[in-house]
Amino acid sequence: MFKAYHSVKLLKTVQMIGFISFFAGWFFIDFYALAILFCFLFGVLGQGIGLHRYFSHKSFETGYIRHRLLILFSVLSTTGSILHYAAGHRYHHAKSDTEQDIHSPHYGSWIHAFFSWFDKDKLKNIPLIYMKNLVKDKNVVFSHNWYWHIIILYNFALFMIDPRLVIACYLIPVGYTRFSGGIQSMLLHMNIRWINYRNYEVKDQSHNSWLFNILTFGEGYHNNHHRKPNDYNFAHRWYEFDPTAMVIRTCFADNKIVDTTQLKKG
């Protein structure tokens, strides 16, 4: 079933190039609006909605075409295949801020937590039950098996149109996605005075942050999320606003919205 090439070193390298491009790449392009749009497509649709709330937590149901669209942007975000990301993220919730957590800032270096640089051996040790439902999805399995092929073909198309589009429509968006993910995996698991706060006393060190919520387009209420992992809406107080949840509700969710307090492994 699984025949893909997945190199952790290659993923780390591309993500780091993207992260540098997120800060320096703007000087080499003219397509600023396009770069911002693709930051949204990769960081919000790909990672926030697709990889995180849809594939990992099953917090809503969507139609067939939108399902495949989320698969595409999940792959192009270059955050790891859907199978790898979902299994690792579900395991993170089960073992959050313990020695078994694959990217806790409290066990290991902060830099590894920020970039979610986990050992390949740790990923191999995650029980297959954490991706059980996803291996039944032939489109998800296809995206896993042809992961780098899809990314390379996309970049080849961009390069043939204009080489600068590789920076604007791939590297900068990948960098923003990694920046947003790093905030969630490191900074929102730390008690930063005046910026972070908690609504719930949960077993881990997850926090909320109005500032990081702005920078991540709604992923900043991490303590709320760890209290109710399968809730599509991270805003739990009247003064909290989750723009990603609004996008889900208006563009992706079909009828049934899942709102549970337990993370289901299957």
Side-chain angles (χ1 to χ4, degrees):
M1 179 182 292
F2 305 126
K3 56 185 178 182
Y5 172 76
H6 287 278
S7 168
V8 175
K9 289 183 179 180
L10 176 60
L11 188 67
K12 290 178 181 179
T13 301
V14 175
Q15 288 178 349
M16 181 55 70
I17 294 172
F19 187 72
I20 295 172
S21 299
F22 177 59
F23 294 98
W26 303 92
F27 297 104
F28 302 95
I29 63 171
D30 300 320
F31 318 106
Y32 303 117
L34 201 59
I36 293 172
L37 171 63
F38 275 79
C39 283
F40 173 83
L41 294 176
F42 284 25
V44 179
L45 264 60
Q47 178 176 258
I49 295 177
L51 287 168
H52 193 189
R53 306 193 196 194
Y54 182 59
F55 293 112
S56 294
H57 291 295
K58 301 179 292 181
S59 63
F60 64 94
E61 294 180 354
T62 194
Y64 180 71
I65 294 177
R66 285 167 292 175
H67 173 74
R68 300 184 77 174
L69 187 67
L70 290 176
I71 289 176
L72 176 61
F73 286 118
S74 293
V75 171
L76 294 179
S77 71
T78 319
T79 316
S81 79
I82 294 170
L83 294 180
H84 286 165
Y85 182 99
H89 189 73
R90 291 170 178 178
Y91 191 74
H92 156 71
H93 272 267
K95 308 292 183 181
S96 184
D97 288 329
T98 67
E99 292 187 68
Q100 288 77 40
D101 191 347
I102 59 175
H103 53 64
S104 172
H106 305 285
Y107 295 90
S109 69
W110 289 0
I111 189 71
H112 278 75
F114 186 87
F115 288 101
S116 293
W117 286 349
F118 43 80
D119 295 332
K120 194 173 183 179
D121 291 337
K122 283 188 175 182
L123 192 61
K124 287 181 177 179
N125 291 332
I126 296 176
L128 290 178
I129 192 174
Y130 285 95
M131 62 172 75
K132 181 180 177 181
N133 69 302
L134 292 172
V135 297
K136 300 175 183 177
D137 188 325
K138 63 180 182 180
N139 292 310
V140 169
V141 173
F142 177 87
S143 73
H144 179 85
N145 288 336
W146 297 93
Y147 186 75
W148 287 108
H149 302 76
I150 296 170
I151 293 173
I152 292 171
L153 181 62
Y154 169 73
N155 278 281
F156 177 75
L158 292 178
F159 185 84
M160 294 303 293
I161 298 170
D162 188 326
R164 294 174 299 171
L165 288 177
V166 175
I167 300 175
C169 299
Y170 180 68
L171 290 177
I172 289 176
V174 166
Y176 169 71
T177 303
R178 185 61 267 150
F179 174 73
S180 175
I183 288 175
Q184 297 168 59
S185 61
M186 186 187 82
L187 296 177
L188 290 175
H189 277 267
M190 303 172 68
N191 183 14
I192 304 176
R193 193 176 183 183
W194 306 117
I195 296 178
N196 290 2
Y197 67 94
R198 286 161 69 91
N199 286 333
Y200 305 104
E201 289 302 320
V202 293
K203 64 180 181 179
D204 54 43
Q205 298 300 313
S206 59
H207 285 73
N208 298 327
S209 170
W210 61 268
L211 174 61
F212 295 141
N213 193 63
I214 295 172
L215 296 177
T216 61
F217 201 77
E219 296 281 304
Y221 299 126
H222 208 61
N223 177 245
N224 296 351
H225 171 56
H226 273 249
R227 174 63 179 84
K228 301 181 72 175
N230 291 54
D231 191 342
Y232 85 102
N233 190 349
F234 291 0
H236 291 181
R237 297 289 188 269
W238 66 268
Y239 50 82
E240 297 172 342
F241 176 63
D242 182 355
T244 293
M246 182 178 66
V247 175
I248 291 173
R249 188 167 52 249
T250 57
C251 301
F252 286 95
D254 277 354
N255 300 323
K256 183 181 178 182
I257 291 286
V258 180
D259 184 1
T260 62
T261 58
Q262 298 296 324
L263 175 63
K264 297 179 182 178
K265 297 179 181 179

